[in-house]
């Protein structure tokens, strides 16, 4: 084997190692598994306030991830946020009266959509809508409520004669 | 006062002059690429010296950087009971910044300096003039193969650095400190994005860094004063300028990718 052939072999090994490193970064480190074309069926949910929800946020049911948020829009008539959820086709037995709420994982975690199954016999299909929704908890509003409650609690209601 | 202004003007003109020469040099380098495509063996030979021979230092540094990130991350996250996010901390810091930047700095020190010294010495011993005498274009025969090989090597080295670093972090976090292996990988996979972090973070960054580092290294060799002192000066300049420019370009790229 000539010196040049050996060098070619070494370069080949080097390039293979580099490509293997990228393969590992793509498969093991990043979320390529979710990048495949979106086969899930789409369901919309309307929220008064979505807080810090982002596109690609997980959609979970009983803590199990069943899909993700694929779109966030605003209905300019009702001023509600319209969130499009893509749910994996194998979870096709979600009752139509399921409810969606925006929850936070941990104290400082990211926000996600949590579904609660309802009791209807009909199941959600592509293009369906979730009617029952619960908005994100906005910390400032919560504190505002607590303060007003505290203030009104301090002043007992005027006695009626 | 007047002397100071004069010196300022002179050094400004000097730098502008060099920048212009470097740009013209780059253009000639690019125009020599078609000739290189006919003889890829030249680039493979260079890929061996800048890529394969840089592999040990890159892999070792990556391993240690990853291990340090694992240790430091653990020490800081354990106060919040958030050690399960260690995987994401290690992977994001490596993929977005440390991998490509440190690989580029190590590359400048390990390969860039060698490129400059080699070309400078070729110039000093009049090998380049001899080539021109024989109607061999040194751009196609000497500069372009080194430049191209460096640009190919840089992303591969950065990818290896990042991957080895993550494995080093995994070793420290999971094997030594007892972080849950499942949480380590799943937190990493749920945060690291293929396009934003791996493609933009590692690949694009390191291609740009490779471009900059090799451009500077080859140009400094081309522009070196052909004396032993001139070559040592040029080698130093390669390492210093590459480090500064890589860090500055990294800021610009980060602002582009992650800024608002």
């Amino acid at each position: 084997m000539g010196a040049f052939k050996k060098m070619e072999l070494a370069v080949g090994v080097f390039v293979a190692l580099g490509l293997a490193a990228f393969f590992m970064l793509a498969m093991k480190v990043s979320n390529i598994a979710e990048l495949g074309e979106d086969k899930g069926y789409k369901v919309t949910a309307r929220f008064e306030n979505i807080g810090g929800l982002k596109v690609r946020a997980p959609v979970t049911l009983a803590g199990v991830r069943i899909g993700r948020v694929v779109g966030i829009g605003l209905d300019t008539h009702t001023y509600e946020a319209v969130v499009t959820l893509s749910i994996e086709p194998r979870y096709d037995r979600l009752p139509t009266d399921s409810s969606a709420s925006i929850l936070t994982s941990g104290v400082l975690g990211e926000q996600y959509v949590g579904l609660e199954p309802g009791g209807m016999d009909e199941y959600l299909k592509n293009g369906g809508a979730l009617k029952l929704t619960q908005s994100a908890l906005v910390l400032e509003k919560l504190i505002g409520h607590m303060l007003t409650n505290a203030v009104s609690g301090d002043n007992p209601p005027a006695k009626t004669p | 006062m007047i002397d100071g202004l004069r010196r300022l003007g002179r050094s400004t003109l000097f730098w502008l002059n060099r920048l212009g020469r470097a740009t013209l040099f780059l253009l000639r380098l690019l125009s020599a690429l078609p000739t290189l495509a006919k003889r890829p063996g030249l680039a493979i030979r260079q890929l061996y010296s800048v890529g394969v021979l840089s592999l040990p230092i890159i892999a070792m540094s990556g391993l240690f950087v990853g291990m340090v990130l694992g240790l430091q991350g653990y020490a800081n996250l354990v106060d919040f009971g958030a050690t399960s996010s260690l995987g994401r901390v290690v992977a994001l810091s490596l993929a977005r910044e440390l991998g490509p930047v440190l690989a580029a700095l190590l590359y400048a020190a390990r390969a860039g300096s060698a490129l400059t010294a080699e070309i400078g010495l070729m110039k000093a011993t009049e090998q380049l003039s001899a080539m021109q005498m024989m109607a061999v274009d040194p751009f196609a025969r000497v500069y372009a193969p080194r430049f191209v090989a460096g640009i190919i090597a840089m992303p591969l080295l950065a990818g290896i650095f990042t991957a080895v670093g993550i494995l080093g972090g995994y070793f420290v976090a999971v094997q030594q400190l007892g972080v849950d292996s499942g949480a380590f990988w799943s937190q990493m996979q749920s945060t690291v994005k293929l396009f934003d972090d791996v493609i933009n973070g590692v690949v694009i960054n390191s291609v740009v860094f490779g471009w900059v580092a090799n451009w500077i290294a080859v140009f400094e060799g081309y522009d070196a004063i052909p004396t032993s002192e001139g070559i040592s000066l040029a080698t130093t300049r390669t390492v210093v300028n590459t480090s500064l420019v890589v860090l500055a370009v990294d800021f610009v790229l980060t602002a582009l990718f992650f800024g608002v």
Side-chain angles (χ1 to χ4, degrees), chain B residues 163-175:
Chain B
V164 171
I166 289 170
L167 292 179
Y170 171 81
F171 175 74
V172 166
V174 177
Q175 310 288 326

Side-chain angles (χ1 to χ4, degrees), chain A residues 6-16, chain B residues 44-45 47-48 52:
Chain A
K6 265 187 202 157
M7 189 182 286
E8 276 185 330
L9 182 69
V11 171
V13 171
F14 166 64
V15 174
Chain B
I44 291 180
R45 212 175 278 266
L47 198 51
Y48 178 80
V52 177

Side-chain angles (χ1 to χ4, degrees), chain A residues 18-158:
Chain A
L19 294 180
F22 278 115
F23 187 71
M24 177 200 147
L25 288 179
M27 300 306 290
K28 187 92 178 145
V29 175
S30 74
N31 47 3
I32 193 176
E34 293 156 29
L35 281 178
E37 82 252 52
D38 194 4
K39 293 197 202 79
Y41 61 97
K42 307 282 187 297
V43 173
T44 55
R46 288 163 173 272
F47 294 95
E48 252 175 55
N49 191 328
I50 58 166
L53 192 72
K54 301 258 163 50
V55 174
R56 294 188 62 80
V59 177
T60 66
L61 196 156
V64 180
R65 183 184 180 125
I66 59 166
R68 59 191 163 85
V69 173
V70 290
I72 293 175
L74 182 72
D75 184 329
T76 45
H77 290 291
T78 57
Y79 301 107
E80 282 174 328
V82 182
V83 176
T84 312
L85 315 174
S86 167
I87 296 172
E88 290 177 28
R90 57 185 162 136
Y91 304 112
D92 57 350
R93 291 166 63 82
L94 296 178
T96 44
D97 60 342
S98 301
S99 67
S101 20
I102 295 179
L103 306 168
T104 310
S105 57
V107 183
L108 297 168
E110 57 170 358
Q111 292 194 299
Y112 65 98
V113 178
L115 298 186
E116 286 284 332
M120 298 269 278
D121 288 341
E122 287 166 43
Y123 299 118
L124 282 169
K125 287 193 219 42
N126 192 22
L130 291 161
K131 300 285 186 316
L132 298 170
T133 60
Q134 193 192 334
S135 290
L137 277 183
V138 178
L139 207 56
E140 288 87 338
K141 283 193 181 171
L142 203 66
I143 294 172
H145 271 298
M146 273 169 60
L147 284 180
T148 36
N149 285 350
V151 170
S152 56
D154 283 345
N155 306 330

Side-chain angles (χ1 to χ4, degrees), chain B residues 15 42 61-62:
Chain B
W15 276 107
L42 289 172
S61 319

